[in-house]
Amino acid sequence: MKQGLSLRVSQHLALTPQLQQSIRLLQLSTLELSQEVEQMLDENPFLDRVMDEAPREEFGVDAADAPVREDDRSAELEAEFAPTSLAPSEAAASTTSDAEAPTSSDESDGSPDWEGDGSVDVAPDDSEWGSDAPARANNLGDERTDATELARSQESLQAFLHRQALSLRLGEGDRAALRFLIESLNDDGYLEDSLPALASGLAGADNDEFDELVHHFQVALGLLQSLEPLGVGARNLGECLTIQLRALAHEDDGEDEAQVRKVAIAICKQPMELLARRDFKRLATLTRSNEELVRSALQLIARLEPKPGRRFVDVERNVVVPDVIVTRVGNGNGTSAKFRVMLNPEVMPRLRVHDIYAGALKQHKGEGSQALSQRLQEARWFIKNIQQRFDTILRVSNAIVERQKSYFVHGELAMRPLVLREIADELGLHESTISRVTTAKYMATPYGTVELKYFFGSALGTETGGNASSTAVRALIKQFVSAEDAKKPLSDSQLSEMLKEQGIECARRTVAKYREALRIAPANLRKAL
């Protein structure tokens, strides 16, 4: 076997730490990004948050409560030599495609190398980013504020029950047991754990103490289920409905009302699957009544509240803060309509490189300066990657708005087919990058706040040879169902035929899939009793 040396030239793409961070930041949601920023601020002394003269909230944390990272003298110097604020560009400027995920890469092992070159000079782009973002100018801001204020002023279910419990004359043991059960309720007002399970967690191996706790819990449970809202403290749906039905009893009720209520209570003791399917014959057999009584009983049950704690759920947890805000500009209609796309300043972190620390590092070069230089470079890269993340989101959002202009003018019925590849080709990015940008990122539109992925949908053929968006088809199905006769609900086959009348070819199975995605029950369950 002959041996020899040969020279071969090849290319490969290495996934550097900077690119890894850029990709990771791009796919983070707003909440995850804020957590990442907080962690980076704690770990890197060269990264600093921009503070206003007056305290203000940054990601829900008041500026006055922010952790102190320098002594009093450094704070005075920082106030004196603070750099001029720079605002992020709102234009959809050209953005490098570093956030683009390569199809193949070599992972770098060992600790990340941020290419610290020993330079400690303050770079031109070390100034703060995200500091002078323009104020939000859209009508949706008031709506979100109202929801947040409502959540803050709303009384919780536990507080409401504790206030009622104060009027009860109870012994010390029963009062403590009632308080414990109230705190054990879930958001819907149900008691998920059994009484023995709750007692065992407190009593341990002491049998006497366990029996005493179970007794106190049984007394407390009866008291809890007598409080408002009716049905609170139930262990399952059947018990919740039964509590409400028993509370409906009145002395002046006629024989018919009492009989219907009795049948309704008997139905609640049966498997809930029968109630969901409205299996009148099976329920009539199990409750030893006729179908007419069962129908009347189901009408009574339908007026009850299956989730007693529903109105006490914290509204603020359900508020979605948009990353991008779209507002209409001018009075143009149709294709002449113009929209302004801007980043939401509330979600943009206000960061800069700590120029005092960077200057101190420049003046005191010595042992360990290389490691500190790498931390400085890491801070610079983090700010650049944050800016690149928002620039990429803005570019993608501009492209979406331009292609889905009909939606912003006429609503979801005018949505056109759109796939990730179209936006990727237009912006010169990889399809996976568009996928990361549109995941867990939200846009405030004139028709509500929606995820960016909402604007993408497959195409369905039409009789004219064109295409209809699956999103528009789902909206059309929803419109058909909302206008149907409650006594004769539309089946999937009928919905398919109605779509064909509109020129859209949509099979029955596809209609069923879209209906389930819209959380619309089948025709037999939508039928009025």
Side-chain angles (χ1 to χ4, degrees):
M1 184 176 188
K2 185 177 181 180
Q3 296 181 348
L5 295 176
S6 62
L7 182 64
R8 183 174 61 183
V9 180
S10 63
Q11 291 182 337
H12 69 278
L13 183 61
L15 197 60
T16 64
Q18 298 93 323
L19 183 56
Q20 293 180 39
Q21 185 184 75
S22 178
I23 294 173
R24 184 165 52 83
L25 292 178
L26 190 60
Q27 64 188 10
L28 294 182
S29 64
T30 299
L31 178 60
E32 293 169 338
L33 177 65
S34 66
Q35 294 172 347
E36 183 77 13
V37 170
E38 292 296 335
Q39 181 179 353
M40 199 68 175
L41 285 169
D42 290 336
E43 295 177 353
N44 195 320
F46 292 99
L47 192 64
D48 189 30
R49 189 198 300 276
V50 180
M51 300 295 181
D52 292 340
E53 294 181 1
R56 59 171 294 172
E57 291 188 358
E58 296 286 351
F59 292 103
V61 179
D62 193 85
D65 298 330
V68 179
R69 295 181 173 81
E70 62 271 349
D71 55 21
D72 295 338
R73 177 57 182 163
S74 297
E76 295 174 2
L77 291 173
E78 180 181 2
E80 183 178 356
F81 299 103
T84 305
S85 300
L86 294 178
S89 174
E90 287 182 17
S94 175
T95 305
T96 59
S97 58
D98 287 347
E100 182 176 332
T103 55
S104 62
S105 61
D106 294 338
E107 295 288 346
S108 59
D109 49 1
S111 60
D113 179 14
W114 292 92
E115 298 182 1
D117 54 3
S119 173
V120 294
D121 294 335
V122 178
D125 55 355
D126 279 349
S127 56
E128 62 197 62
W129 183 79
S131 58
D132 292 336
R136 181 158 74 178
N138 69 319
N139 296 330
L140 297 177
D142 295 335
E143 179 182 346
R144 177 183 173 272
T145 302
D146 293 342
T148 304
E149 293 301 324
L150 175 63
R152 291 175 178 171
S153 62
Q154 189 177 27
E155 188 176 26
S156 68
L157 174 62
Q158 281 73 17
F160 182 66
L161 294 172
H162 284 314
R163 186 157 52 82
Q164 296 179 68
L166 293 176
S167 62
L168 301 176
R169 293 185 177 180
L170 303 175
E172 183 178 351
D174 292 337
R175 183 176 298 278
L178 178 57
R179 172 173 288 275
F180 187 82
L181 291 185
I182 290 175
E183 293 298 328
S184 300
L185 298 174
N186 63 15
D187 289 342
D188 294 330
Y190 284 84
L191 192 63
E192 296 178 333
D193 298 322
S194 64
L195 300 183
L198 294 174
S200 63
L202 297 176
D206 191 335
N207 292 332
D208 293 337
E209 186 178 359
F210 172 80
D211 294 338
E212 183 180 359
L213 280 174
V214 170
H215 172 72
H216 283 302
F217 282 152
Q218 288 174 343
V219 175
L221 181 61
L223 295 171
L224 175 60
Q225 293 181 350
S226 67
L227 301 178
E228 295 286 343
L230 291 175
V232 71
R235 273 73 62 85
N236 52 62
L237 178 59
E239 184 179 16
C240 177
L241 299 176
T242 300
I243 293 171
Q244 298 178 60
L245 288 169
R246 288 174 177 166
L248 294 176
H250 298 284
E251 295 182 357
D252 56 349
D253 282 348
E255 183 178 351
D256 292 341
E257 289 85 353
Q259 184 65 19
V260 170
R261 189 171 59 254
K262 180 180 179 181
V263 174
I265 292 175
I267 290 175
C268 292
K269 296 179 180 179
Q270 306 304 323
M272 289 292 103
E273 292 78 6
L274 300 177
L275 179 62
R277 295 200 308 264
R278 299 180 182 179
D279 193 340
F280 303 116
K281 293 184 179 180
R282 181 63 176 162
L283 289 173
T285 301
L286 293 173
T287 58
R288 298 180 180 180
S289 58
N290 55 53
E291 290 190 25
E292 183 178 353
L293 268 177
V294 169
R295 291 179 183 273
S296 300
L298 290 182
Q299 290 177 346
L300 178 60
I301 293 174
R303 297 199 296 269
L304 305 178
E305 174 55 75
K307 297 180 179 180
R310 189 201 305 265
R311 65 186 178 94
F312 294 92
V313 175
D314 191 357
V315 178
E316 190 172 8
R317 289 183 299 176
N318 299 324
V319 174
V320 176
V321 181
D323 299 85
V324 180
I325 300 170
V326 179
T327 54
R328 192 160 184 166
V329 180
N331 299 321
N333 294 319
T335 56
S336 62
K338 295 182 179 180
F339 296 90
R340 182 190 180 194
V341 183
M342 62 175 289
L343 295 170
N344 184 357
E346 294 184 10
V347 303
M348 298 165 65
R350 299 156 52 84
L351 303 173
R352 67 178 176 188
V353 168
H354 203 306
D355 56 326
I356 296 179
Y357 286 178
L361 179 61
K362 179 182 179 181
Q363 295 175 5
H364 302 283
K365 290 184 178 180
E367 184 178 356
S369 62
Q370 181 64 27
L372 292 176
S373 297
Q374 291 181 359
R375 298 295 284 177
L376 175 59
Q377 187 69 8
E378 179 183 349
R380 290 171 175 169
W381 272 109
F382 187 76
I383 293 176
K384 290 179 181 178
N385 287 334
I386 288 286
Q387 184 172 8
Q388 180 175 307
R389 174 188 186 271
F390 281 98
D391 286 345
T392 305
I393 291 174
L394 185 61
R395 292 181 62 202
V396 172
S397 300
N398 271 304
I400 290 175
V401 171
E402 186 63 30
R403 286 179 174 265
Q404 296 289 9
K405 186 176 291 186
S406 297
Y407 163 81
F408 293 93
V409 175
H410 304 292
E412 59 184 353
L413 286 174
M415 190 82 77
R416 54 154 291 184
L418 183 64
V419 294
L420 299 176
R421 172 60 63 183
E422 295 183 49
I423 302 297
D425 292 342
E426 179 178 341
L427 300 180
L429 300 174
H430 195 275
E431 193 171 345
S432 62
T433 302
I434 307 301
S435 178
R436 291 185 179 94
V437 171
T438 56
T439 301
K441 315 296 187 304
Y442 294 88
M443 176 185 290
T445 74
Y447 298 96
T449 301
V450 295
E451 189 178 15
L452 293 183
K453 277 193 179 298
Y454 172 76
F455 296 99
F456 296 86
S458 57
L460 295 175
T462 62
E463 291 182 352
T464 59
N467 292 321
S469 170
S470 58
T471 304
V473 174
R474 284 194 292 267
L476 200 55
I477 291 174
K478 185 177 180 180
Q479 188 179 80
F480 289 156
V481 172
S482 62
E484 69 183 3
D485 185 354
K487 296 182 178 179
K488 295 181 179 179
L490 299 171
S491 65
D492 294 338
S493 298
Q494 290 174 315
L495 290 172
S496 178
E497 291 297 326
M498 295 175 69
L499 289 173
K500 287 183 179 179
E501 293 176 0
Q502 300 292 326
I504 301 173
E505 297 291 337
C506 190
R508 182 191 62 80
R509 291 184 179 181
T510 305
V511 170
K513 182 179 71 173
Y514 290 165
R515 175 181 54 74
E516 292 173 358
L518 292 169
R519 296 184 178 180
I520 298 176
N524 62 321
L525 299 183
R526 299 200 309 272
K527 188 174 183 180
L529 296 173

